[in-house]
Amino acid sequence: MEYLALLRGINVGRNNRITMADLRAAFTSARFTNVRTYISSGNVMLTSLQPPDVVQERSQAVVREWGLNVPVSTFVARELLKVLASAPAWWTAPAAGSISNAIFVCPPTSPEKVLAAMGAADDEEQSRVDGPVIFVTSKATKFMDTRWSRTPAAISTQITIRNVQTTLKLGELLAERV
């Protein structure tokens, strides 16, 4: 089965540094196969015969073994591709001057818990939950004023964010694998 593992906070500033070659080697040594990374922000595509809960546990163990204190979200590729296929048009093709992000919720937290902790959206934001993903679009000039630019510490470790371009590219790469 094909999976996507998203590591939060990899290679941001001076923290949690790891090369993608080392990350691929770490996942391969954990007996995942067909391991591929995309850009240096902790996007790992892999194959495993194990069920999703075991892949989640093993993925988290891989990053702990490297001394990285970051959450990992793993997704079954086919399920994630269904979510991405139903993404709203305002997210996949944001209006000029807008920013779109996908907020991936790390287990065991739910999108509903994340949204409750984040408080109400302002008038400049569009959002929609689909499975473990919160699709968000806001005006670029207002993004630093949105709730997502100031995520509370208790929630920031429960989510990982990818921009629309990265998310759609990951979808393309996953589609080639399934």
Side-chain angles (χ1 to χ4, degrees):
M1 191 168 357
E2 299 297 324
Y3 290 91
L4 174 66
L6 299 176
L7 286 66
R8 184 189 180 283
I10 293 295
N11 297 330
V12 177
R14 293 187 176 137
N15 298 322
N16 297 314
R17 306 294 295 175
I18 186 170
T19 68
M20 293 303 98
D22 287 343
L23 189 59
R24 284 189 301 275
F27 274 85
T28 300
S29 70
R31 293 181 288 157
F32 292 115
T33 59
N34 200 18
V35 177
R36 179 175 177 192
T37 56
Y38 174 69
I39 63 176
S40 294
S41 56
N43 307 299
V44 183
M45 291 157 280
L46 54 93
T47 304
S48 177
L49 297 176
Q50 299 296 321
D53 60 328
V54 173
V55 171
Q56 172 68 35
E57 290 171 17
R58 286 178 52 208
S59 297
Q60 192 67 60
V62 166
V63 299
R64 272 195 312 271
E65 287 171 15
W66 270 84
L68 302 172
N69 186 24
V70 298
V72 178
S73 293
T74 58
F75 303 93
V76 174
R78 286 190 191 281
E79 293 172 10
L80 185 57
L81 287 170
K82 288 178 188 174
V83 169
L84 296 178
S86 68
W90 50 258
W91 182 83
T92 58
S98 294
I99 295 175
S100 288
N101 290 303
I103 290 79
F104 294 90
V105 179
C106 303
T109 303
S110 69
E112 294 73 24
K113 283 185 181 180
V114 171
L115 289 171
M118 294 302 296
D122 63 27
D123 294 338
E124 304 291 333
E125 177 188 302
Q126 290 181 283
S127 64
R128 188 180 95 192
V129 174
D130 194 342
V133 180
I134 306 169
F135 296 104
V136 179
T137 298
S138 60
K139 291 190 176 179
T141 56
K142 299 285 188 176
F143 180 75
M144 292 312 292
D145 296 327
T146 68
R147 59 190 175 159
W148 300 106
S149 68
R150 52 185 186 281
T151 308
I155 291 299
S156 68
T157 61
Q158 302 303 310
I159 61 174
T160 187
I161 301 174
R162 301 295 188 271
N163 67 40
V164 65
Q165 295 87 357
T166 298
T167 304
L168 293 176
K169 182 63 177 180
L170 288 169
E172 289 174 22
L173 296 171
L174 288 172
E176 293 171 3
R177 296 170 65 102
V178 294

